[in-house]
Amino acid sequence: MTIKHIHEHGVFPQVRMRRLRQQAWCRELVAEHRLLSSDLIWPVFIQEGKNTETPVASMPGVSRITLDLLVKKAKHAHGLGIKAIALFPLIDEKLKSPLGDEALFPDNLVCRAIREIKNAVPEIGVIGDVALDPYTSHGQDGIVEHGTIVNDATVEKLCEQAVVQAKAGCDIVAPSDMMDGRIGAIRKALDHDNHTDTLILAYSAKYASHMYGPFRDAVDSKKLLGSADKSSYQMNPANGDEAMREIGLDIAEGADLVMVKPGISYLDIVYRAASNFPVPVLAYQVSGEYAMIKAAGVNGWIDGDAVMMEQLLSFKRAGARAIFTYAAVEIAEKISD
Ligand code: PBG
């Protein structure tokens, strides 16, 4: 829309923009974007045990759940029109180690969860996170040597982790670790093991954000991480062009879908990514973003439900093809009402 365009098509009083906004039916008729259940991907925290839900204190409305409940809730989510769910495990501290080898164990919590969901609700897509942080005793996503997160040795592990998840039946593997070269290496490893149809969702533009705190509570990696951070591999929030480079490289290496994370404060990146690249761009409303809305809502400072809807719609307006949100089920329930 240019100044020239406005002059060609007239101005006030012939043009009254408010005509289109007078009545609800018309506002809905001309809406440019709509939030659908099929836009939502539900990230779920899982834990060992039976018939247990453990609320995550910093994420009102979110609980870690055992696999029997996971299967039931996956069925419910599928019934509401949610197309995919993403799994994040709480790993017993005794199973965590410096190299995070539990990640490669074919019977670990995530692999069992994948098998159970694909067995009970094969119609829903299952996304497995590829990164070592739930499994390492230091909480970093990669292997640490002399205080440095080493790239290439980590990528080898990630390849094994991705293959183990694909073998369990995972539809999409999602490397969220930000190591260099991991997408190409994982594609090669998957293909070599005959998983040529397993999709890769690359967390291409993942920032070293302070909004991941509640997630780290949920998977219990905060205290392990201590004062260390992830700035030597996750991106500097100051950078936008660099995100375009990261996305371009991941696509060249074989990413089927790319992710921008966090979401709301990075909608400029979502918009640029969706405008510049011909692959589906996804975005993640991260734990801190979710928690801020919930906390203000619980206090009555904002209408939490309305703000949640509005922010999720903003993702669509920015160009996100699908959105990871912890509110997926409650929002899908509202949409289907
Ligand atoms: C790390 C990972 C993180 C999240 C998902 N996987 C963040 C991190 O600890 O760096 C955060 C998601 C959220 O905050 O909702 N592999």
Side-chain angles (χ1 to χ4, degrees), residues 31-332:
E32 295 175 43
H33 298 282
R34 277 170 234 282
L35 187 65
L36 310 170
S37 298
S38 52
D39 295 319
L40 307 175
I41 294 173
W42 185 33
V44 193
F45 297 113
I46 54 175
Q47 64 183 4
E48 296 286 358
K50 279 216 167 64
N51 197 24
T52 311
E53 287 196 35
T54 311
V56 179
S58 50
M59 300 179 73
V62 171
S63 293
R64 286 191 310 253
I65 55 176
T66 50
L67 301 192
D68 46 348
L69 298 179
L70 174 69
V71 166
K72 284 189 198 143
K73 287 175 190 272
K75 269 192 193 136
H76 176 62
H78 175 255
L80 291 168
I82 291 173
K83 299 298 171 198
I85 95 178
L87 302 172
F88 294 99
L90 173 75
I91 301 299
D92 188 329
E93 215 154 294
K94 293 195 290 294
L95 298 174
K96 297 193 184 190
S97 63
L99 299 180
D101 279 324
E102 177 68 10
L104 316 179
F105 177 48
D107 261 331
N108 68 23
L109 181 60
V110 161
C111 290
R112 278 180 279 131
I114 294 167
R115 283 196 293 268
E116 293 208 13
I117 297 175
K118 284 279 104 179
N119 194 24
V121 208
E123 307 84 9
I124 200 162
V126 176
I127 303 173
D129 200 63
V130 176
L132 300 179
D133 56 306
Y135 307 95
T136 54
S137 42
H138 42 69
Q140 293 286 1
D141 292 24
I143 295 169
V144 185
E145 280 173 15
H146 312 295
T148 301
I149 290 52
V150 290
N151 194 85
D152 299 10
T154 299
V155 170
E156 279 180 36
K157 293 266 181 198
L158 298 174
C159 287
E160 281 185 62
Q161 185 185 19
V163 169
V164 160
Q165 292 184 7
K167 272 201 169 83
C170 197
D171 301 293
I172 302 182
V173 291
S176 68
D177 56 284
M178 290 299 279
M179 296 301 119
D180 286 320
R182 88 278 205 220
I183 301 302
I186 289 171
R187 184 71 271 160
K188 210 165 145 197
L190 288 171
D191 289 357
H192 183 75
D193 212 62
N194 288 323
H195 302 293
T196 50
D197 288 337
T198 304
L199 293 147
I200 300 179
L201 160 59
Y203 283 74
S204 301
K206 176 167 175 181
Y207 287 85
S209 170
H210 287 91
M211 286 191 279
Y212 304 147
F215 174 94
R216 292 176 189 171
D217 289 335
V219 301
D220 212 12
S221 67
K222 195 184 267 172
K223 63 175 191 295
L224 302 176
L225 207 54
S227 60
D229 68 14
K230 302 189 178 182
S231 324
S232 78
Y233 47 105
Q234 297 178 348
M235 282 183 54
N236 181 349
N239 298 345
D241 289 346
E242 188 184 355
M244 299 305 111
R245 270 186 96 188
E246 284 280 9
I247 292 168
L249 287 166
D250 284 354
I251 294 171
E253 290 179 29
D256 300 288
L257 315 108
V258 298
M259 174 83 94
V260 174
K261 177 179 175 187
I264 281 292
S265 339
Y266 296 81
L267 287 185
D268 57 324
I269 309 300
V270 174
Y271 182 75
R272 289 174 67 179
S275 310
N276 282 310
F277 296 102
V279 303
V281 174
L282 276 49
Y284 201 137
Q285 183 190 49
V286 299
S287 57
E289 298 179 305
Y290 171 90
M292 287 192 286
I293 297 172
K294 286 285 171 179
V298 165
N299 276 291
W301 297 336
I302 59 172
D303 178 340
D305 291 346
V307 171
M308 190 66 81
M309 283 283 198
E310 180 181 329
Q311 294 214 352
L312 294 172
L313 186 60
S314 307
F315 282 92
K316 295 255 345 234
R317 200 182 57 236
R321 195 67 63 79
I323 309 150
F324 276 55
T325 174
Y326 299 98
V329 171
E330 60 176 274
I331 294 295

